[in-house]
Amino acid sequence: MAKKDRTDRQAVIDSIRSKQKGAEKRRGYAIVGICATIALLIVGAAAYQPIKDWYDLRGFEEQGLDEIGAAADACGEITTKKANGSQEHVDPGTPISYEDSPPAFGQHYRVWDTIDRKLYTSSDRPDVGELVHNLEHGYTILWYDATVAESDAMMDDLRGIASKFDDNANYRNKFKAVPWTSEDGEPFPGDEHVAMTHWSVGGAGESAADKQVGVFQYCSAPSGAALEDFMKKYPYTDSPEPDAI
């Protein structure tokens, strides 16, 4: 009888151990499954925006620059202001105060951004002092405010516009679209949410410093048509240092 009791107890113990092992395996599988799901979500989230951007840009492939965004009349008249600051370079990080929102000229950092990148967000944009150096080198900069940044439709238009300047070997593609934030300075005037600026020498080939002007045009929304007209009127060659990339 004692032998049977021991056998029964062992059977119970074995059954408990077997159930515990089964439960541990199930927990292990569950943990692996959860980790795999989390990993897939992380990978999916990282891939989502590039895939979405690529998909959105397909719609602009057959469109000309002048067909993207708002009509040209979304922008006001072009204005100019006597410029200064050519060759006035300071070290990066030096505080610089600009009178205009945004600037089209002035003292600037001795470094500038490369031609490769066309569109920035507030999280990765170069400093304003660096971008003003780009203006000295013939770039046209389209600045956009928080209203544009928070609009999926207008940001899609900016991606479409930026995609038209992808030939980095062509200096005519000296263009950047960058955010203008409350930390940079005063908001754009009126109900305008976009500003285009250029540093002009008064026409390609001019060299007299007293002919230099800052060029400004404000818009209620991104307009490829207005940008195309602006850059034709003020090409990269109309700048203090057009040959620097």
Side-chain angles (χ1 to χ4, degrees):
M1 190 69 178
K3 183 176 180 181
K4 183 177 184 302
D5 290 342
R6 285 196 300 271
T7 300
D8 290 344
R9 286 197 299 270
Q10 187 61 47
V12 171
I13 292 171
D14 290 343
S15 176
I16 293 172
R17 286 176 177 172
S18 177
K19 290 178 180 179
Q20 287 176 336
K21 287 182 180 179
E24 289 173 359
K25 283 184 179 180
R26 287 193 294 276
R27 283 196 296 271
Y29 292 146
I31 291 171
V32 170
I34 291 170
C35 290
T37 300
I38 292 172
L40 287 172
L41 289 172
I42 292 172
V43 171
Y48 170 77
Q49 193 60 52
I51 292 173
K52 181 181 182 300
D53 291 347
W54 168 81
Y55 184 83
D56 291 341
L57 284 175
R58 293 192 313 163
F60 297 108
E61 290 178 357
E62 302 302 320
Q63 289 183 280
L65 175 60
D66 62 336
E67 299 174 290
I68 301 174
D73 60 9
C75 301
E77 295 295 321
I78 293 175
T79 61
T80 62
K81 182 178 181 180
K82 186 174 176 57
N84 57 55
S86 183
Q87 291 295 311
E88 292 186 20
H89 301 152
V90 297
D91 290 332
T94 302
I96 305 175
S97 178
Y98 293 107
E99 293 182 0
D100 302 298
S101 297
F105 58 85
Q107 187 183 66
H108 47 276
Y109 294 165
R110 64 182 71 259
V111 298
W112 65 94
D113 193 41
T114 67
I115 195 173
D116 305 306
R117 183 82 178 270
K118 310 300 182 182
L119 176 61
Y120 290 86
T121 66
S122 58
S123 65
D124 57 15
R125 189 207 69 188
D127 289 329
V128 174
E130 187 173 338
L131 291 167
V132 173
H133 200 157
N134 281 88
L135 287 166
E136 187 181 37
H137 289 179
Y139 284 75
T140 289
I141 297 183
L142 183 155
W143 311 77
Y144 63 93
D145 70 5
T147 297
V148 176
E150 293 167 2
S151 167
D152 290 341
M154 286 194 281
M155 287 305 298
D156 282 345
D157 287 340
L158 280 184
R159 292 185 188 95
I161 287 170
S163 72
K164 301 303 178 180
F165 297 92
D166 61 350
D167 182 359
N168 296 330
N170 187 342
Y171 282 19
R172 293 187 180 280
N173 289 325
K174 285 186 173 184
F175 165 81
K176 292 186 180 295
V178 302
W180 179 258
T181 72
S182 59
E183 296 178 358
D184 298 320
E186 294 297 318
F188 301 154
D191 293 325
E192 312 294 14
H193 303 294
V194 170
M196 297 183 290
T197 64
H198 182 82
W199 191 336
S200 167
V201 291
E206 290 288 349
S207 58
D210 61 356
K211 291 187 177 181
Q212 293 187 14
V213 295
V215 185
F216 305 83
Q217 187 173 27
Y218 293 93
C219 313
S220 59
S223 169
L227 176 65
E228 184 172 76
D229 291 342
F230 186 92
M231 293 185 70
K232 284 180 179 177
K233 188 171 184 178
Y234 299 100
Y236 82 94
T237 51
D238 177 21
S239 64
E241 295 184 52
D243 295 330
I245 191 67

